[in-house]
Amino acid sequence: MPATIIQSNTTPFARKPVDPVTLDIMENALRNARVEMDATLVRTAMSPGIREQGDAFPLIADHEGRMIVGQFGSFIGGFLKGYDGTIEEGDMFFLSDPYSVEGAVSHCNDWLVLLPVFSDGRLLAYTAMFGHMSDIGGKVPGSMPIDATNIFQEGVRIPPVKIYRRGDYNEDVVKLVLHQSRTPGWCAADLNALIASCRVAARRVIEMSERFGVDSYVSATEELLARNHRAMETLIGQAVSEEPVSFQDYICDDGLGYGPYKIKCTMWRENGRVVLDFAGTDPQSVASINFYLNENMFKMFFGIYMIMVFDPQILFNDGFYDLIDVRIPKGSLLKPVFPAALSGRTHALGRIFDILGGLLGQKTPQFLNAAGFSSSPHLFYAGTDRKGDWFQLFQIGFGGIPGRPMGDGPDGHSLWPGFTNVPNEFLERYFPLIIERYETVADSGGPGLHRGGNGIIMTYRFLEAGVIAIHDDRWFVPPWGVNGGLPGERARKVLVKADGRETIVGNKVEDIEVEAGDLLHFITWGGGGWGDPFDRDPAIVEQEIRRGLVTVDGARRYGVVIAADGGVDAAATEALRARLRAERGSPGIFDFGPDIETLRAACEAETGLPAPIQPRWADHRLAVVE
């Protein structure tokens, strides 16, 4: 049964007109409250994933649970359906189990705190924040075993519980949860940071309702939702066709040798609504790359993509959800059946954005993005140092962002706009390692009129023996280019032992032993290129050679010839471009690079590692597709 909301005052909120100036003030106050939540978090948390990288996501919702400001869209609907207790003034909720809340959080490392905000006995709003915890127990340090075959191997699962009940702190449940972690101090600090962020936002909501009146506050949130609905209705009519379009992309492998895994989506407009149907997506994996995709979360992904491409001034909120119908087959990679493992879901999460780009750009190629959002590379390094102290690093790396209609993709940037890298000085201060290289990989971005962002190489020298794990993708299936742009380069990882022996290691591996003095070259993928590379200004190519972003040989992929003095040879460039255009012919909308079988041969030749083989669905006991 759904949650029961207990209110001492059941008087309905009165709807009243809100003038444009007041609406603008409240909209910006809510935006600022969201920023204040982030600021509170990073100043209070201790783990590098949250404190340094910002791997946490805030939300302020109305009294019905609809997001007014935030990033991922509201997950409160799933919570309200999955929680069968009461919601009272003074309560605060704590959870991490994706299966208990319809994928509101997508793996157990994400701890969610949810605070119902009451005013004069009535439920006025919700504030929420979830963040990635560095360790929650389970079979490996970091609690994200790529080879997990069920969720019970991934650490503690927290169903929706009250961390505060009518204002009283539930200390025992927190002790129980923290007892499962290898890094309880970090988790305790990060949990307190989540709580503090929710309380800060709740205070701001109460202050606004007291300043303008509760009814005016509620009416303003209704208008912000309605305004978003009107804007999205217009955008959908302009950008989405009634004729179905399909797009598919692949996760390279599952870490157990199987792959690639297909994610397919078909989109069309029907009676003013967008239908997004994932029929044709592969069945769930026996490993942990499954992504329990919450439908509302995907609606927000779709809405953010539309807004950022077509009208970035629109406020993100949940007002448009009734304009979108998301259909995900049960038992597929995006709707796995309990107790399927979920900890490695980051690759499918990243690939969703590439697929959205491929879908939305087919009607309007001028707005099309290339591929490159692709994944969120992880490195884990753990062990006991010579003093007997436990150390444990979880770090998110960055790849190349795709070329875009408005310009080049950024080099070595995060999938999430708000993420930042962990400063090398921080890593070297708190962990037994040295960062010997941190730079972009020249030529790794796909050539185009707008170049794909280069990947990065980050070279770690380990100072203590320990174990590492690597979670990355786009090492087999490259990020594709569009409108004549070429694919980006694929990711790779190279381990150099202290005695000089060099080994190419996989991009999804666990429990690799390292010794003091070993080096790891962590190399990420480049973004796909946008537009015809033979239209790129040769002067820009020359400049990027000087900056180390493109090599002299790489310049020829743009049809640019560099003279002995380092300048552009204009006549040779014109001749080369004419020849290359004739050899190529007219480019298509997409350039996916070699076919799968060619990639298998190239992968084995380049790395010496076995290429992934087609999953045998009959061997996957959990693969039940309806």
Side-chain angles (χ1 to χ4, degrees):
M1 60 182 294
T4 301
I5 300 171
I6 297 178
Q7 304 179 97
S8 60
N9 181 354
T10 58
T11 305
F13 295 111
R15 302 297 189 268
K16 55 170 47 177
V18 180
D19 66 84
V21 173
T22 302
L23 182 65
D24 189 61
I25 290 171
M26 282 200 265
E27 176 186 347
N28 284 284
L30 286 164
R31 290 180 190 261
N32 289 339
R34 180 242 161 112
V35 172
E36 193 174 358
M37 293 177 78
D38 287 331
T40 301
L41 188 79
V42 299
R43 292 175 180 175
T44 312
M46 285 185 61
S47 70
I50 294 181
R51 172 180 157 178
E52 300 297 326
Q53 299 210 268
D55 191 0
F57 301 91
L59 167 73
I60 301 175
D62 73 352
H63 62 287
E64 296 181 12
R66 297 173 295 180
M67 187 187 85
I68 306 300
V69 292
Q71 182 163 331
F72 265 135
S74 181
F75 34 70
I76 296 172
F79 161 76
L80 293 173
K81 283 193 240 177
Y83 177 66
D84 60 0
T86 60
I87 298 175
E88 303 178 62
E89 189 165 3
D91 289 349
M92 181 183 286
F93 297 88
F94 176 37
L95 62 96
S96 75
D97 177 25
Y99 288 110
S100 68
V101 288
E102 296 186 339
V105 291
S106 55
H107 67 168
C108 292
N109 284 78
D110 287 335
W111 285 6
L112 168 63
V113 169
L114 176 65
L115 174 60
V117 181
F118 285 76
S119 175
D120 190 27
R122 290 185 291 182
L123 179 62
L124 177 63
Y126 293 91
T127 65
M129 176 76 87
F130 74 85
H132 180 103
M133 297 295 135
S134 296
D135 191 282
I136 57 167
K139 62 184 289 193
V140 297
S143 315
M144 295 174 63
I146 201 68
D147 58 350
T149 56
N150 62 69
I151 199 169
F152 300 108
Q153 297 170 328
E154 299 176 339
V156 64
R157 297 165 51 230
I158 308 166
V161 294
K162 291 186 179 182
I163 193 170
Y164 282 88
R165 182 185 297 273
R166 292 195 291 271
D168 294 329
Y169 184 57
N170 191 343
E171 184 177 8
D172 287 341
V173 73
V174 175
K175 284 183 177 179
L176 177 64
V177 169
L178 294 178
H179 193 66
Q180 315 307 311
S181 173
R182 297 173 180 85
T183 58
W186 280 359
C187 287
D190 291 353
L191 175 60
N192 286 333
L194 299 176
I195 292 170
S197 297
C198 290
R199 292 205 183 281
V200 163
R203 285 198 298 272
R204 300 298 174 254
V205 168
I206 293 297
E207 288 168 0
M208 274 184 276
S209 67
E210 290 175 346
R211 176 182 176 184
F212 297 102
V214 171
D215 291 336
S216 292
Y217 173 82
V218 172
S219 297
T221 60
E222 291 282 353
E223 176 53 29
L224 291 174
L225 291 164
R227 190 177 67 184
N228 181 278
H229 187 283
R230 293 191 297 268
M232 284 296 296
E233 193 170 31
T234 300
L235 291 182
I236 287 169
Q238 294 172 346
V240 181
S241 172
E242 293 181 349
E243 186 71 23
V245 293
S246 294
F247 195 78
Q248 63 191 43
D249 205 344
Y250 297 87
I251 299 170
C252 295
D253 72 319
D254 60 7
L256 299 182
Y258 294 109
Y261 285 78
K262 178 175 66 177
I263 299 177
K264 180 180 180 180
C265 188
T266 302
M267 176 182 71
W268 69 93
R269 180 163 47 89
E270 183 178 298
N271 298 322
R273 304 176 74 227
V274 176
V275 179
L276 294 152
D277 189 345
F278 284 93
T281 295
D282 278 344
Q284 68 192 61
S285 171
V286 72
S288 70
I289 62 167
N290 304 296
F291 176 29
Y292 190 162
L293 179 57
N294 177 274
E295 283 82 358
N296 281 349
M297 184 184 291
F298 183 68
K299 289 177 182 181
M300 180 51 64
F301 291 169
F302 175 86
I304 289 175
Y305 199 99
M306 290 279 287
I307 288 167
M308 293 306 294
V309 169
F310 296 105
D311 192 350
Q313 297 306 311
I314 298 173
L315 175 69
F316 302 154
N317 66 38
D318 290 359
F320 64 90
Y321 279 7
D322 65 332
L323 296 172
I324 303 177
D325 177 11
V326 178
R327 303 172 185 177
I328 308 174
K330 185 178 180 181
S332 69
L333 195 74
L334 301 180
K335 190 69 66 177
V337 176
F338 177 83
L342 302 174
S343 61
R345 93 293 186 232
T346 185
H347 314 295
L349 173 58
R351 198 67 85 257
I352 288 295
F353 287 92
D354 285 343
I355 288 170
L356 278 173
L359 276 175
L360 291 168
Q362 291 186 46
K363 182 181 177 183
T364 53
Q366 67 271 25
F367 293 113
L368 184 63
N369 276 349
F373 294 107
S374 295
S375 187
S376 184
H378 296 348
L379 173 70
F380 304 82
Y381 171 43
T384 302
D385 65 21
R386 63 199 66 187
K387 295 184 294 184
D389 295 330
W390 176 256
F391 64 87
Q392 183 174 323
L393 169 66
F394 159 68
Q395 182 183 7
I396 300 172
F398 300 155
I401 297 298
R404 305 162 294 166
M406 69 287 293
D408 296 345
D411 301 309
H413 203 285
S414 171
L415 160 68
W416 306 112
F419 274 20
T420 57
N421 69 307
V422 180
N424 294 341
E425 296 81 3
F426 180 97
L427 292 172
E428 293 178 344
R429 170 64 180 83
Y430 291 102
F431 300 98
L433 54 79
I434 295 173
I435 306 301
E436 298 210 342
R437 292 178 68 189
Y438 187 85
E439 59 191 57
T440 62
V441 180
D443 295 336
S444 58
L449 171 64
H450 299 152
R451 178 176 60 80
N454 283 331
I456 62 171
I457 177 170
M458 194 166 184
T459 298
Y460 301 83
R461 183 178 293 278
F462 303 114
L463 303 181
E464 297 280 3
V467 295
I468 63 170
I470 299 168
H471 296 184
D472 198 6
D473 209 64
R474 286 297 192 199
W475 67 273
F476 179 60
V477 180
W480 31 269
V482 298
N483 296 329
L486 302 182
E489 292 295 314
R490 294 173 290 164
R492 63 190 186 280
K493 310 293 180 288
V494 183
L495 181 63
V496 182
K497 302 297 288 183
D499 61 9
R501 287 178 295 128
E502 185 173 304
T503 307
I504 296 179
V505 297
N507 280 261
K508 295 185 183 70
V509 292
E510 294 285 351
D511 292 329
I512 301 294
E513 294 185 0
V514 295
E515 302 296 331
D518 290 355
L519 288 173
L520 175 67
H521 301 297
F522 194 102
I523 305 166
T524 58
W525 72 92
W530 189 99
D532 191 338
F534 306 144
D535 290 337
R536 189 168 177 85
D537 185 347
I540 295 177
V541 177
E542 177 191 352
Q543 183 182 64
E544 293 195 325
I545 291 172
R546 292 198 302 270
R547 292 177 174 176
L549 302 173
V550 175
T551 66
V552 172
D553 287 340
R556 298 184 71 88
R557 301 177 71 194
Y558 299 86
V560 174
V561 180
I562 302 299
D565 63 0
V568 174
D569 185 328
T573 294
E574 185 177 351
L576 177 60
R577 285 185 162 183
R579 177 170 64 80
L580 293 177
R581 287 182 196 274
E583 292 174 354
R584 180 196 63 188
S586 298
I589 295 180
F590 297 101
D591 186 337
F592 296 101
D595 61 40
I596 295 296
E597 292 310 313
T598 302
L599 285 170
R600 290 188 201 281
C603 169
E604 294 180 353
E606 293 168 7
T607 67
L609 299 173
I613 62 175
Q614 182 64 37
R616 301 192 302 268
W617 305 121
D619 293 346
H620 291 210
R621 292 175 296 157
L622 299 178
V624 182
V625 178
E626 293 185 349

